[in-house]
Amino acid sequence: MKNTYNLRSIAAKAITQVLEQGQSLSAVIPEIQQRISDKDKALLQELCFGVMRTLPQLEWIISQLMAKPLKGKQRIFHYLIMVGIYQLIYTRIPAHAALAETVNGAINLKRPQLKGLINGVLRQFQRQQQELIERANNHISQYLHPKWLLERIQKAYPHNWQNIVDANNQKPPMWLRVNQLHHTANEYLVLLEEASIEAELDKSHPNAIRLLNPCSVNTLPGFDKGWVTIQDRSAQGCAELLTPCNEESILDLCAAPGGKTTHILEIAPKSKVLAIDIDEQRIKRVNENLQRLKLHAVVKTGDGRLPHEWATGEQFDRILLDAPCSATGVIRRHPDIKWLRRNEDIEQLATLQSEILDAIWPYLKKNGTLVYATCSILPQENSEQIKAFLERHSDAELSSETGTQEKPGTQIIPEITGGDGFFYARLTKQ
Ligand SMILES: C[S@@+](CC[C@H](N)C(=O)[O-])C[C@H]1O[C@@H](n2cnc3c(N)ncnc32)[C@H](O)[C@@H]1O
């Protein structure tokens, strides 16, 4: 049966929501995916994420092809043209199909009169494709990052900033976390082999497996039965570092969508976990993930800065604080971050993180363990944050496995076939 929708116009709409209205792709795309075919889900993802990855190059090319940019209500057609150019440069879709589908997007967006304009711009691009790409490369920064972010990365990593930026511009690998309550990673690898899914084990994380080619979760053996979860290997380090034990009371703060809540429970299924997040919508996903994995936790909405509003006053044996952060370690998974974040957000996030840390510290038992984690690569949110915390709290001690007093924490940078950028610090209360 022929689709009644036009995928290029849907992609242009999603991109408009991100770049003009400040929404994130991860908020916009899941809702759209409910109404399109499985095959189109992958293409929608490729078009939207690809445009975010290469935005400065595509913007520059359009500026050469159109004397006046489309503005106001017509802005969506600017992004439709962008989707067209992206397909011609980066996908194997035959040019005639990419062109026809993109031009027809104007009909779905109820402006058939713009078909001629879109067709004209895309055909002009086709004629000058090589030359325009070469000129774009000379005119724009090949790093495809906003200036403020590039400068922050260069300052923090004067020797390897280029590797970080390269990794940010790649498509991310797909990592699995094998549920150890069902299988070892070795056993699950055999199941993947039987399903003809190529994969390899990870040396540093016991339950992590990397797929050589990303695939749909529905093709993963036992996904519905909770045998496996999609989670980057760096994220798996958080619950491992927390070392939760059965019978302990554990607070998972900033828990949604529950990737680490479920990992804690896979390691210690009889621990008593309280999962808190401020976002009511995202917290629903913690419950869905717990259900799929048949695990149990108490899940509540709450602000980490105001624990007296949701905690009963008891202290916890362990606390995992997976703090809200700039997400600069996961740009390859969320390339829209490059255009949604602002330089001034970093200071605001660092303040929020320190407020949550200070508010929650009294709720940790003596000799208890707190793991602070972010998916950021910026020192302000990471080593500097923990250094300042240690200065404020004389009863906090940094475990030697995560850095030194001078440079607290373990900083992981994103690697092309490796894990995401991440930071962990393990603190104990004296
Ligand atoms: C990095 S994400 C958490 C990911 C989650 N731990 C996981 O593994 O699936 C950070 C979370 O912090 C939440 N958050 C932001 N500000 C918060 C606050 N003041 N109190 C509690 N949660 C907050 C966000 O809603 C977001 O879900």
Side-chain angles (χ1 to χ4, degrees):
M1 204 175 75
K2 195 163 165 14
N3 293 329
T4 50
Y5 54 81
N6 173 285
L7 196 72
R8 278 63 176 181
S9 66
I10 291 178
K13 228 185 237 174
I15 294 165
T16 308
Q17 281 173 280
V18 174
L19 297 175
E20 301 292 320
Q21 292 152 25
Q23 298 186 45
S24 69
L25 275 182
S26 47
V28 170
I29 285 194
E31 190 264 317
I32 303 172
Q33 285 190 324
Q34 291 168 10
R35 2 181 209 111
I36 61 178
S37 71
D38 274 353
K39 196 168 134 261
D40 281 345
K41 280 179 192 165
L43 181 55
L44 178 75
Q45 179 108 354
E46 163 80 40
L47 298 178
C48 294
F49 282 72
V51 165
M52 294 300 156
R53 218 170 270 130
T54 55
L55 188 68
Q57 182 199 34
L58 301 173
E59 282 290 13
W60 189 87
I61 290 174
I62 294 186
S63 75
Q64 301 304 297
L65 295 168
M66 297 177 76
K68 271 203 248 150
L70 294 165
K71 288 203 177 129
K73 285 203 173 136
Q74 294 199 326
R75 195 71 188 146
I76 193 166
F77 299 97
H78 176 85
Y79 297 119
L80 184 60
I81 292 171
M82 211 173 247
V83 167
I85 295 177
Y86 178 83
Q87 292 168 85
L88 293 171
I89 304 180
Y90 292 104
T91 71
R92 294 206 197 127
I93 300 168
H96 64 87
L99 235 85
E101 287 294 321
T102 307
V103 170
N104 281 336
I107 302 176
N108 286 63
L109 294 170
K110 307 209 166 33
R111 288 283 186 287
Q113 64 274 31
L114 289 177
K115 275 175 72 178
L117 171 80
I118 296 166
N119 191 38
V121 174
L122 293 179
R123 285 196 183 281
Q124 197 191 337
F125 171 71
Q126 267 190 311
R127 284 193 295 274
Q128 305 172 14
Q129 179 156 347
Q130 257 340 87
E131 181 213 327
L132 277 170
I133 292 173
E134 276 165 30
R135 282 176 49 217
N137 291 345
N138 294 333
H139 276 83
I140 56 155
S141 155
Q142 57 179 309
Y143 304 118
L144 304 173
H145 279 52
K147 191 162 169 277
W148 69 267
L149 180 57
L150 189 62
E151 284 171 4
R152 280 195 187 253
I153 299 175
Q154 286 169 330
K155 188 165 174 233
Y157 303 92
H159 305 299
N160 54 353
W161 62 269
Q162 233 159 340
N163 296 345
I164 295 176
V165 168
D166 281 352
N168 288 351
N169 288 335
Q170 306 292 319
K171 291 181 191 168
M174 185 166 170
W175 285 95
L176 307 181
R177 183 185 84 221
V178 178
N179 182 347
Q180 62 192 66
L181 298 172
H182 291 279
H183 300 96
T184 63
N186 263 313
E187 287 165 353
Y188 194 76
L189 194 68
V190 174
L191 296 177
L192 287 173
E193 253 169 50
E194 285 167 7
S196 304
I197 298 175
E198 285 185 294
E200 60 186 25
L201 293 176
D202 186 48
K203 290 191 192 79
S204 43
H205 299 279
N207 307 114
I209 290 184
R210 185 172 71 92
L211 300 189
L212 300 196
N213 299 298
C215 68
S216 153
V217 291
N218 303 325
T219 60
L220 294 172
F223 181 80
D224 289 344
K225 291 184 245 166
W227 291 359
V228 76
T229 292
I230 312 299
Q231 189 179 47
D232 185 87
R233 80 163 184 190
S234 301
Q236 298 186 31
C238 297
E240 289 165 13
L241 192 61
L242 188 71
T243 56
C245 299
N246 282 330
E247 321 301 339
E248 284 182 341
S249 64
I250 300 178
L251 171 64
D252 181 11
L253 184 53
C254 304
K260 299 179 190 78
T261 320
T262 50
H263 195 192
I264 292 170
L265 284 159
E266 285 169 12
I267 298 172
K270 290 192 187 138
S271 59
K272 287 167 259 159
V273 175
L274 172 62
I276 299 285
D277 198 281
I278 202 167
D279 188 323
E280 256 175 64
Q281 287 309 312
R282 282 170 65 87
I283 206 106
K284 288 183 192 150
R285 297 197 37 219
V286 182
N287 285 317
E288 286 164 17
N289 281 321
L290 285 165
Q291 264 167 26
R292 182 179 65 85
L293 291 152
K294 299 194 176 57
L295 296 168
H296 179 73
V298 176
V299 182
K300 285 191 199 172
T301 310
D303 187 333
R305 292 166 295 185
L306 306 169
H308 59 275
E309 287 187 355
W310 44 263
T312 53
E314 62 155 342
Q315 287 181 313
F316 298 91
D317 295 296
R318 292 174 206 269
I319 297 177
L320 173 60
L321 169 53
D322 189 18
C325 71
S326 61
T328 41
V330 291
I331 285 177
R332 59 189 188 160
R333 292 192 192 282
H334 304 280
D336 48 337
I337 284 169
K338 293 191 289 187
W339 318 115
L340 291 172
R341 285 263 174 276
R342 299 278 169 264
N343 195 16
E344 53 274 22
D345 294 347
I346 309 303
E347 267 61 48
Q348 284 173 14
L349 283 162
T351 304
L352 173 62
Q353 292 152 0
S354 67
E355 285 171 0
I356 299 179
L357 267 168
D358 287 348
I360 208 62
W361 186 246
Y363 289 78
L364 182 67
K365 280 185 191 167
K366 198 164 172 228
N367 295 323
T369 299
L370 181 147
V371 169
Y372 171 84
T374 72
C375 54
S376 163
I377 53 165
L378 301 177
Q380 292 82 351
E381 302 175 84
N382 297 342
S383 55
E384 290 174 18
Q385 180 69 265
I386 294 303
K387 197 161 182 234
F389 180 80
L390 290 168
E391 280 162 15
R392 289 197 302 276
H393 297 268
S394 57
D395 59 345
E397 193 173 277
L398 181 78
S399 303
S400 56
E401 71 228 84
T402 54
T404 59
Q405 212 70 10
E406 218 15 68
K407 198 146 197 265
T410 303
Q411 181 69 66
I412 297 168
I413 58 166
E415 285 170 354
I416 291 176
T417 56
D420 289 340
F422 236 90
F423 174 85
Y424 333 98
R426 188 181 209 259
L427 306 168
T428 50
K429 197 183 233 182
Q430 298 311 306

